[in-house]
Amino acid sequence: MRGKTFAQIIALFAITVSTLFTCAQTPPAVLTIHADQPVSAVSPTLYGLMTEEINFSYDGGLYAELVRNRTFQSDWTGVPYWYLYEGGSAVAKMQPDDQTGPSEALKSSLKLEVEQADMKNQAGVLNVGYWGVPLHPDTTYKGSFYAKADSADIGPVTASLVSDETGKVLATATISGVTTSWKHHAFTLKTDSIQASATNHLLLSVGHAGTLWLNLVSLFPPTYHDRVNGNRIDLMEKMAAMHPAFLRFPGGNYLEGDHISERFDWKKTIGPLVDRPTHLGPWRYQSSDGLGLLEFLGWCEDLKMQPVLAVYAGFSLMQDLVKPGHDLEPYVQDALDEIEYVTGGTDTKWGAIRAQNGHPEPFKLTYVEIGNEDTFDRAHTYEDRYAQFYKAIKAKYPDLQLIATMPLKNMKPDVQDDHYYVRAKQSFKEAAHYDKADRNGPKIFIGEWATREGAPTPNFNSALGDAAWMTGMERNSDLIVMAAYAPLLVNVSPGGMQWESDLIGYNAMNSYGSPSYYAQVMFATYLGDHTLASKLEGAGPKLFYSITGNATKKKLYLKVVNASSIPQSLEINLPGAKLAATAKLVSMTAPGTQSTNSIDDPRRIVPIESTLSGVSSKFQHKLPGYAIQVIELNQQ
Ligand code: AHR
């Protein structure tokens, strides 16, 4: 400062402050949108859902069954999630019995040998559910089981819902008619004005000495659309809010299994539950297969989604392989049967079986995916396996679009499934990935994608990455026909998660959407049907946008993502456009990248709706730091 006058020092100080201030604001960026210049169509099926049995997505998740291990699978510890109950002076023992079961599929059972019991001192078995049995006041629960006894003298079975904390019986029913042969028994349990809680268990007990065998013990709360064997209401509602156009099922790794015998063998997942043997999934827990092929289709029907059916293509994760050619033929036939089950009339073999299973109406099917992530096949047989499936399926169903799970050299598939699991920084970069992609190649299905920061569910940095990435997908949705975030669901109870960063979290009682979930809701709700010519100037590398329109609704949807902590001024020019002076603003912001929602704080970060005024063909808009926004502009 030596040699400077006081005035010079003040001037220097002023320049420094103003420089700092300008840096903290960043100069205004200019976005020019030509509302009268459509560029390309936006795929109406762009946003959908990808699903598989992972993170207790179905059992202990979407599939509303409350009884865990209802078919009494056993291991060295005994029969997990089932415990012996000896009330008062009752004496009994329980053990798995592989000598008797209610069906060909369920050949074993749980054997309860009661040495001593009376009606006041009952003996039985209890189930602790999936991290508890959630109960609500004034609610009816539908239960059932298969049972047989060594003699009818065993008397009635009592089914009770019991509070873990107080020991109080919250609902009870008596089921008589157990005989010496296997029979199905149904009951209902109704709660009264109890306190909602998950710290409860289900107890089945008897009041006489004797032997009782049990299997397929089931208990359902009310389900979405009251479907029998249906889905959990809160999770279905959360998915409905995402306006999904399709459901990709049954996986993912879950389609393939670790071994061929552990694949999603669809024929073993249809029909009465007692005819479903259950199977071990690749995420290393037993799947009840209660959510089987027809239940996936019912889920599609309930949320008005089209099915994207993935068929097993002869490769399992531990490198089990079915060689293309003769060996693969039965698997190709299995896929043809599966497609017939989904789409065939009741005059076809598998269409008639679907009708017998309760759904005479065929389902509309456009896309079939051949396998999953076959790039992991170290023998490199996918080109040939895909070609064999392609030939057989196209011969019978020429209109089906067949998705390949990796890029092919020898032929052009109808659609190619690309997967992305990345950090936020890469999502920002990849937002431009498809801008220059070959338009003469296959259409693209981004069958799995996610920005993976945050566990069990993604944090706001992930949501920013996702939103940036979605702007790129929308801009390129002439090429990208469909896209789905994965994984969709996670049970956040201890031990429930196998894969970090999942869109929707839940425990037995409650569920919540991550910031990434809300970003999806925002983008899918305001999709538009075509993109518009536009240009962004003067923006930094962390500003992303997408502009689409819907001519019939006379709406323009501007999505802007500011992934920087610094607010961003935006001059928005729409030369020649006639716009209403007010627009809808949907805005989601967070104080930092690590901010998130959780089961205990489910709505910390949610989109907020407000009205934007002063809208014209040239207006100023200021984006906060860390912001995802949709502006719905009304054309006049
Ligand atoms: O989404 C989790 C897994 O990631 C899927 O099962 C698999 O397809 C991918 O590798």
Side-chain angles (χ1 to χ4, degrees), residues 18-29 538-543 562 564-570 622-625:
S18 100
T19 310
L20 276 176
F21 185 71
T22 320
C23 283
Q25 285 292 307
T26 69
K542 287 195 172 174
L543 190 67
N562 184 11
S564 160
S565 59
I566 303 168
Q568 172 72 57
S569 297
L570 202 56
K622 191 159 171 193
L623 271 160

Side-chain angles (χ1 to χ4, degrees), residues 50 52-55 248 251-256 282-283 317 372-373 376 419 421 448-449 485-488 499 502:
M50 185 275 168
E52 68 173 316
E53 181 59 291
I54 182 175
N55 302 321
R248 174 182 176 230
N253 291 354
Y254 184 59
L255 169 72
E256 308 164 85
W283 302 101
L317 292 156
N372 176 60
E373 293 189 340
F376 288 110
H419 292 179
Y421 289 110
E448 294 178 31
W449 70 269
Y485 188 101
L488 176 65
W499 182 282
D502 308 289

Side-chain angles (χ1 to χ4, degrees), residues 46 60 95 98 165 181 223 274 279 317 349 402 441 514 587 601:
L46 184 59
Q95 59 185 329
D98 59 11
E165 274 157 27
S181 39
T223 57
V274 75
H279 80 284
L317 292 156
K349 177 180 169 196
L402 302 183
S514 61
S587 182
D601 196 354

Side-chain angles (χ1 to χ4, degrees), residues 104-122:
E104 262 305 296
L106 301 179
K107 288 198 179 83
S108 61
S109 53
L110 183 78
K111 184 178 180 183
L112 173 71
E113 289 171 279
V114 182
E115 194 183 307
Q116 184 182 308
D118 57 51
M119 290 315 274
K120 287 205 171 118
N121 299 279
Q122 299 211 355

Side-chain angles (χ1 to χ4, degrees), residues 207-409:
H208 295 95
T211 302
L212 179 74
W213 287 267
L214 290 164
N215 205 332
L216 200 59
V217 179
S218 172
L219 186 71
F220 271 82
T223 57
Y224 192 73
H225 287 180
D226 287 327
R227 269 192 194 269
V228 175
N229 196 41
N231 291 337
R232 198 169 134 165
I233 295 170
D234 58 338
L235 295 178
M236 287 295 274
E237 285 174 349
K238 287 217 164 47
M239 287 185 248
M242 293 170 71
H243 304 286
F246 66 87
L247 178 72
R248 174 182 176 230
F249 65 86
N253 291 354
Y254 184 59
L255 169 72
E256 308 164 85
D258 272 357
H259 301 285
I260 298 174
S261 61
E262 293 172 355
R263 70 191 187 280
F264 183 81
D265 195 354
W266 71 273
K267 285 177 183 159
K268 295 182 177 161
T269 73
I270 56 171
L273 297 179
V274 75
D275 295 333
R276 304 185 193 186
T278 79
H279 80 284
L280 183 65
W283 302 101
R284 307 325 288 163
Y285 57 90
Q286 194 77 12
S287 172
S288 75
D289 287 327
L291 208 155
L293 180 57
L294 190 55
E295 286 77 20
F296 280 111
L297 294 163
W299 176 3
C300 290
E301 203 164 58
D302 280 351
L303 297 190
K304 300 187 174 50
M305 307 178 285
Q306 58 167 293
V308 174
L309 177 69
V311 297
Y312 180 74
F315 172 69
S316 295
L317 292 156
M318 296 294 141
Q319 301 297 316
D320 282 13
L321 189 65
V322 185
K323 282 202 200 93
H326 176 72
D327 290 0
L328 195 59
E329 274 165 21
Y331 295 89
V332 173
Q333 187 55 50
D334 221 42
L336 290 171
D337 293 348
E338 189 171 6
I339 295 167
E340 188 174 283
Y341 184 88
V342 176
T343 64
T346 50
D347 53 343
T348 63
K349 177 180 169 196
W350 287 100
I353 294 175
R354 185 196 61 241
Q356 225 175 63
N357 296 161
H359 203 288
E361 278 303 301
F363 294 88
K364 192 173 170 312
L365 184 68
T366 304
Y367 294 100
V368 172
E369 180 155 13
I370 315 296
N372 176 60
E373 293 189 340
D374 289 83
T375 177
F376 288 110
D377 166 8
R378 291 205 285 267
H380 307 293
T381 62
Y382 187 63
E383 294 265 357
D384 293 339
R385 288 188 287 113
Y386 179 85
Q388 191 172 340
F389 275 89
Y390 187 93
K391 197 166 158 230
I393 296 175
K394 284 279 181 175
K396 194 159 177 207
Y397 302 101
D399 293 338
L400 283 179
Q401 294 292 292
L402 302 183
I403 305 169
T405 69
M406 58 179 268
L408 300 182
K409 291 195 193 87

